[in-house]
Amino acid sequence: MTPAYDAVGVERAEKLVDCETYIDKYLSAQVDGELSAAELRDAEEHLARCGNCRARFAEERAVKALIRERAAMRRTPPIVRGSILAALDAIDMADASKAAGRRTDRAGGADGGRSSIRRARLWLPVAIAAVAMFAFVILHGGGPAPAHAVPPFDVAIDHYEHFVDHFEPNVNSASPAELSGAYMDHQLPGFLWNFQHAGYKLRGGRIDRLADGTSVAYTFYQGDTRSVLCTFMKSHGLQPPDGEVQEMNGHRCYRYKGYSVCLSYPPGGFVCILVSRRPMKEFLQDVMDAEP
């Protein structure tokens, strides 16, 4: 692609940010919103030219949003939040070190530094955060199902039944990172459940509007004989109904109208509702394995 020129022509082209400089000096700060106006312009110009760094930026933004949201979850002790944020700092330092190493390799004739996006890196900080999180804990035993109708549960169940027969994504769902980014672009929670370990595949995501005009996100996961729908919507003051079967790490699980339902509260005034036809015992195991 022909580089952009301003009044100083070639001098401007020579100052364009390359991949290693972007990763070393711009990537983390851009995700954190710490660049100056001039630096942000340089970073955006580079991203407009470089698909690899655009993908890297999307992954970095999704990872940090996921971990920071999980660090802010209710009932997460300060020591755990501190461990997760320390992991973020370690990742930033590793970025700078690896970028310096790639420059050394290139000076010595190595040719593999720039070509790999290292997509596996997306899961490294998630693994660090998972180690820091509390293990599965049952705080109390079973109870009766909710005595009254819970409208957000009914919304999630109605859409689950529809999507089991026909689900059509309407946002970029090519990868978890891109789907997470699409949600955050619409001011919706960006973390995703990872049901892959439980035998599900990510079918994709949708962003629609409820009758009150607020946005709602649906993420659909499907296995050979089972499925789960994740619904993010504004909480509108919804309080956890009585009668949860179990609670684990702030997630309340219910049997409701013949469905297994899991309710949690991401930051930002949202609720997350998981719905499945799975029996409660198997559903609890799937949720435990898939917790982001």
Side-chain angles (χ1 to χ4, degrees):
M1 180 180 296
T2 302
Y5 288 84
D6 59 13
V8 294
V10 175
E11 180 181 356
R12 169 64 178 161
E14 292 175 349
K15 291 183 178 180
L16 293 176
V17 174
D18 61 22
C19 293
E20 292 181 4
T21 301
Y22 175 78
I23 293 171
D24 187 4
K25 297 183 177 180
Y26 289 80
L27 173 60
S28 181
Q30 185 178 8
V31 172
D32 294 337
E34 298 175 351
L35 294 180
S36 67
E39 290 170 334
L40 181 60
R41 182 177 63 250
D42 291 342
E44 290 178 342
E45 287 179 358
H46 177 73
L47 292 182
R49 302 190 310 273
C50 180
N52 283 357
C53 286
R54 284 198 302 274
R56 183 71 173 269
F57 172 78
E59 292 176 355
E60 186 91 3
R61 182 175 63 172
V63 166
K64 289 195 172 183
L66 184 155
I67 296 177
R68 293 188 193 281
E69 288 174 4
R70 294 303 299 164
M73 269 292 198
R74 296 191 317 167
R75 301 194 183 199
T76 304
I79 190 172
V80 177
R81 290 197 298 270
S83 297
I84 295 172
L85 295 177
L88 285 174
D89 292 337
I91 292 163
D92 291 342
M93 294 175 63
D95 274 343
S97 175
K98 290 177 181 178
R102 282 194 300 273
R103 287 195 297 272
T104 301
D105 289 344
R106 187 173 64 175
D111 60 1
R114 185 180 297 181
S115 62
S116 173
I117 308 174
R118 299 197 318 277
R119 292 189 179 274
R121 179 180 174 279
L122 174 65
W123 302 110
L124 175 60
V126 178
I128 295 172
V131 171
M133 287 294 174
F134 278 146
F136 173 69
V137 178
I138 298 174
L139 297 183
H140 53 77
H148 304 289
V150 184
F153 286 12
D154 293 327
V155 169
I157 288 171
D158 288 346
H159 284 83
Y160 171 82
E161 284 298 326
H162 174 71
F163 292 149
V164 166
D165 295 326
H166 179 73
F167 181 80
E168 184 175 346
N170 66 359
V171 295
N172 189 345
S173 305
S175 71
E178 290 171 321
L179 179 55
S180 175
Y183 286 162
M184 288 188 290
D185 287 343
H186 288 79
Q187 289 73 55
L188 290 161
F191 72 83
L192 301 179
W193 295 78
N194 183 9
F195 283 100
Q196 181 178 354
H197 299 302
Y200 298 82
K201 293 182 179 179
L202 175 63
R203 286 283 308 277
R206 291 188 57 86
I207 298 176
D208 295 319
R209 291 196 177 275
L210 298 174
D212 63 3
T214 59
S215 296
V216 56
Y218 302 106
T219 311
F220 194 53
Y221 306 84
Q222 197 162 39
D224 293 338
T225 59
R226 51 193 170 168
S227 53
V228 176
L229 177 68
C230 173
T231 302
F232 286 124
M233 65 177 74
K234 281 291 187 180
S235 66
H236 296 298
L238 173 69
Q239 297 299 312
D242 294 330
E244 64 261 37
V245 174
Q246 286 183 350
E247 179 177 318
M248 48 187 181
N249 295 346
H251 307 300
R252 292 172 169 85
C253 297
Y254 301 82
R255 285 299 292 177
Y256 181 81
K257 297 185 177 180
Y259 296 85
S260 294
V261 177
C262 178
L263 172 67
S264 57
Y265 289 82
F270 291 89
V271 293
C272 171
I273 302 171
L274 299 176
V275 174
S276 179
R277 293 174 181 161
R278 294 272 280 169
M280 180 56 71
K281 181 178 179 180
E282 288 82 355
F283 178 70
L284 288 172
Q285 185 63 51
D286 289 348
V287 172
M288 181 179 68
D289 293 340
E291 184 181 7

